[in-house]
Amino acid sequence: MGELEDKPQQDTNQIIEERRAKLAALREVDNAFPNDFRRNSLALDLHKKYDEQSNDILEANPITVRVAGRMMLKRVMGKASFATIQDMSGHIQLYITNDIAGESTHAKFKHYDLGDILGAQGTLFITKTGELSVRTTSLRLLTKSLRPLPEKFHGLIDQEQKYRQRYLDLITNEDTRKVFVVRSKIIQSIRDFFVNRGYLEAETPMMHPIPGGATARPFTTHHNALDMNLYLRVAPELYLKRLVIGGMEKVFEINRSFRNEGISIRHNPEFTMLEFYEAYQDHIYLMDLTETMLRDIAVKVLGTTKISYQGHKIDLAHPFSRLSITQAIQKFHPEYTDAQLNDRTFLISKLQSLNIIHKPDDGIGVLQLSLFDETTEHLLMDPIFIVDYPADVSPLARRNDKNPEITDRFELYIAGREIANGFSELNDPEDQNTRFLVQLLAKESGDAEAMHYDADYIRALEHGLPPTAGEGIGIDRLVMLLTDSPSIRDVILFPQLRRED
């Protein structure tokens, strides 16, 4: 029988001690951690090129390769052994024999452990079972693994270990590796989409003297040399709009932002956003652009616009719906009449019956939004833009010309969650000043998420911000959608967790 994994009944500490003893023996005779092996081939490339070749052709035209990776399987069978190593692209099998590799090399191999990192040179051949393999002529231990690999991850018991020890998850779980490969491709496709449209990529500060760009509770730190408090950014918006004022009329940033809020399957205190701004455009243009971008990403990364998220079939090729907050409520709750949804007394009574927190001075628009958030948001499975957000909850968005109580703003929902938020930017410095003051009053009244007053941003606006459209897209949630991942922790390599005891 071949050795497929360390015996589960062995105590982990005993295994570690045995491996430390092997490492000590290695140190006595040679460099235990050499760095002079150079591979020239990856497993996936070899499989793509040679899997369909016949063994006769490979034997007649020997192809020498140098491969390296972590040993995941090991089968010792007398004078011949097999091992499977894993590199960044996939797996390749090694065939080690006394005749070709030599008895000494083969004997050393028998003492190697799963998880050890090996470098091998040899020629390609196809085994009798049809598997492309390397007939090993030389084999070296490049890194000794002192801890055993986990048997397997299974069930919720191991979920936290997956997040805490992501390196083990990546080693043992091919699905996890695929998620993060897709994430990388999504970000690259976003970057290409905007660069190809003439946008400039910018980098704005992560530490702000005044937190701004979103209504959120910030993280606070202190700079010793300047003797001043700083805030980790909650959004890059106000800095990017300063760039538009400065003449960078099409600009984007893929940024890390931080919000000192709760943790859930949709929220991590540190997250990745795309924000982009274009002068002389409006929120209608942004909605069209967003549809185009999401289809472009899906096709380039997944090869299709048809996706499945937690059992729901979604086709991004279909035109995205556009409804106001009240229209969306009525679509899923036709029992509500226009009169009721515009009756403050009814809305307050309904929110109270649903135990939804609201403020005594909330306007009708804010009450409607609270009802929408509680009763309708989670039902929006197909892509839909919710438009006409109240000015009271949109302190940076331009007021609608026909109804100043609402703004030219939208949020995109897919699979029951917000994916994007965009609007025609408020470029009237006096209106922005007034709204900052309203936010300041809310903050002084105890609203920790209300915005600070940013005098420098007002000064920048007074130099003139051209008519501009801007949008933010949550990349983590977008990756969740395109990889069918139920939790944001599944798409962040190192999600925030409570400290281990």
Side-chain angles (χ1 to χ4, degrees):
M1 291 292 291
E3 179 192 349
L4 297 181
E5 58 188 8
D6 289 309
K7 297 177 181 179
Q9 67 267 25
Q10 279 188 282
D11 178 77
T12 298
N13 290 332
Q14 179 185 344
I15 294 172
I16 293 173
E17 287 305 311
E18 290 175 357
R19 294 191 178 197
R20 289 190 184 280
K22 291 180 181 180
L23 176 59
L26 286 172
R27 292 187 191 277
E28 291 180 0
V29 297
D30 201 357
N31 182 354
F33 292 90
N35 190 21
D36 58 354
F37 181 89
R38 302 292 174 260
R39 72 179 175 196
N40 61 17
S41 302
L42 290 174
L44 181 60
D45 296 335
L46 295 177
H47 284 295
K48 284 182 177 179
K49 192 170 182 179
Y50 299 110
D51 270 357
E52 302 305 318
Q53 293 273 17
S54 71
N55 189 54
D56 290 342
I57 292 176
L58 291 178
E59 296 287 4
N61 303 277
I63 297 166
T64 300
V65 298
R66 294 169 63 84
V67 295
R70 189 180 300 275
M71 184 163 62
M72 304 300 293
L73 292 172
K74 177 184 176 185
R75 299 196 304 275
V76 176
M77 300 177 293
K79 296 181 179 181
S81 297
F82 286 94
T84 298
I85 61 171
Q86 174 178 288
D87 64 24
M88 63 183 289
S89 70
H91 300 83
I92 191 78
Q93 182 170 263
L94 307 181
Y95 178 58
I96 306 102
T97 66
N98 288 352
D99 293 340
I100 298 172
E103 291 187 22
S104 175
T105 296
H106 194 196
K108 290 178 182 178
F109 166 77
K110 293 177 181 179
H111 292 282
Y112 296 162
D113 297 299
L114 297 186
D116 286 352
I117 296 174
L118 311 180
Q121 179 171 309
T123 56
L124 296 177
F125 77 107
I126 306 293
T127 66
K128 292 179 180 179
T129 58
E131 183 170 356
L132 182 70
S133 303
V134 178
R135 184 181 285 112
T136 305
T137 55
S138 65
L139 182 68
R140 295 180 65 192
L141 177 63
L142 304 180
T143 302
K144 182 65 190 171
S145 173
L146 296 180
R147 290 180 177 270
L149 293 176
E151 256 189 276
K152 62 176 68 174
F153 285 117
H154 54 82
L156 294 177
I157 295 173
D158 297 310
Q159 201 65 37
E160 185 171 324
Q161 186 185 12
K162 282 185 171 187
Y163 300 144
R164 288 195 185 279
Q165 296 177 278
R166 181 67 84 185
Y167 45 91
L168 290 180
D169 189 20
L170 292 168
I171 290 171
T172 59
N173 192 331
E174 185 176 357
D175 289 338
T176 296
R177 295 195 298 275
K178 288 180 178 178
V179 165
F180 290 103
V181 169
V182 170
R183 181 186 175 105
S184 178
K185 290 180 178 179
I186 289 171
I187 292 174
Q188 186 59 49
S189 66
I190 289 171
R191 182 169 277 114
D192 293 342
F193 181 88
F194 284 100
V195 170
N196 291 338
R197 282 163 174 74
Y199 280 72
L200 295 175
E201 184 171 8
E203 295 175 293
T204 62
M206 295 178 70
M207 293 192 296
H208 294 182
I210 297 172
T215 52
R217 186 193 300 263
F219 286 95
T220 305
T221 186
H222 186 81
H223 192 286
N224 291 331
L226 295 176
D227 191 22
M228 63 183 290
N229 284 340
L230 292 169
Y231 304 89
L232 297 184
R233 69 175 167 207
V234 295
E237 177 168 340
L238 300 187
Y239 282 91
L240 289 171
K241 287 194 284 193
R242 285 175 170 94
L243 297 182
V244 179
I245 292 169
M248 299 175 69
E249 295 175 348
K250 299 173 75 172
V251 64
F252 77 99
E253 181 173 11
I254 297 172
N255 64 89
R256 301 291 280 182
S257 292
F258 308 83
R259 297 182 185 177
N260 199 353
E261 300 167 343
I263 294 177
S264 74
I265 62 170
R266 301 185 189 184
H267 298 89
N268 193 67
E270 177 183 1
F271 58 97
T272 305
M273 279 204 305
L274 160 72
E275 287 213 9
F276 58 98
Y277 295 82
E278 183 169 344
Y280 309 108
Q281 295 292 358
D282 63 10
H283 68 300
I284 303 298
Y285 165 83
L286 286 184
M287 287 190 278
D288 295 337
L289 183 69
T290 301
E291 287 194 43
T292 301
M293 177 178 61
L294 293 185
R295 291 174 190 136
D296 182 79
I297 292 170
V299 169
K300 286 183 177 177
V301 175
L302 305 178
T304 179
T305 59
K306 296 179 180 180
I307 61 175
S308 176
Y309 186 76
Q310 301 299 291
H312 298 281
K313 304 296 183 181
I314 299 168
D315 191 347
L316 299 175
H318 294 161
F320 295 7
S321 302
R322 302 181 186 187
L323 296 176
S324 69
I325 291 170
T326 55
Q327 288 171 339
I329 293 173
Q330 289 178 313
K331 178 178 180 179
F332 294 92
H333 305 281
E335 67 273 17
Y336 295 133
T337 66
D338 288 341
Q340 288 175 324
L341 292 179
N342 286 282
D343 183 328
R344 193 168 186 278
T345 301
F346 171 81
L347 289 170
I348 290 175
S349 173
K350 193 65 185 175
L351 293 177
Q352 288 175 338
S353 70
L354 296 171
N355 295 318
I356 301 173
I357 298 174
H358 62 280
K359 300 174 185 175
D361 57 347
D362 281 345
I364 285 181
V366 176
L367 297 172
Q368 291 170 342
L369 180 59
S370 296
L371 184 63
F372 165 83
D373 289 343
E374 182 67 25
T375 65
T376 306
E377 174 183 321
H378 65 283
L379 301 174
L380 305 177
M381 302 310 300
D382 291 323
I384 181 171
F385 292 108
I386 302 299
V387 300
D388 300 340
Y389 274 73
D392 290 348
V393 295
S394 310
L396 299 169
R398 183 182 185 276
R399 293 183 191 271
N400 183 268
D401 289 334
K402 295 180 180 179
N403 180 1
E405 296 302 312
I406 62 174
T407 58
D408 293 337
R409 175 188 171 192
F410 66 84
E411 288 189 353
L412 171 62
Y413 287 86
I414 308 177
R417 62 197 57 178
E418 177 195 343
I419 299 294
N421 177 28
F423 40 83
S424 300
E425 300 296 337
L426 175 57
N427 62 342
D428 179 342
E430 293 181 348
D431 189 0
Q432 184 67 80
N433 182 72
T434 299
R435 293 206 227 173
F436 273 165
L437 290 174
V438 171
Q439 290 285 309
L440 183 60
L441 289 174
K443 182 167 289 294
E444 291 174 348
S445 299
D447 185 350
E449 294 188 354
M451 288 189 186
H452 291 243
Y453 184 94
D454 191 335
D456 180 71
Y457 180 66
I458 295 297
R459 179 170 60 185
L461 278 183
E462 289 174 345
H463 284 282
L465 172 67
T468 298
E471 182 174 344
I473 295 179
I475 287 180
D476 304 310
R477 290 188 181 182
L478 180 60
V479 176
M480 288 173 64
L481 177 70
L482 296 182
T483 60
D484 194 14
S485 298
S487 171
I488 196 170
R489 293 181 177 184
D490 296 325
V491 300
I492 295 176
L493 280 168
F494 299 102
Q496 192 64 48
L497 302 166
R498 290 186 184 278
R499 188 170 60 186
E500 277 188 291
D501 292 333

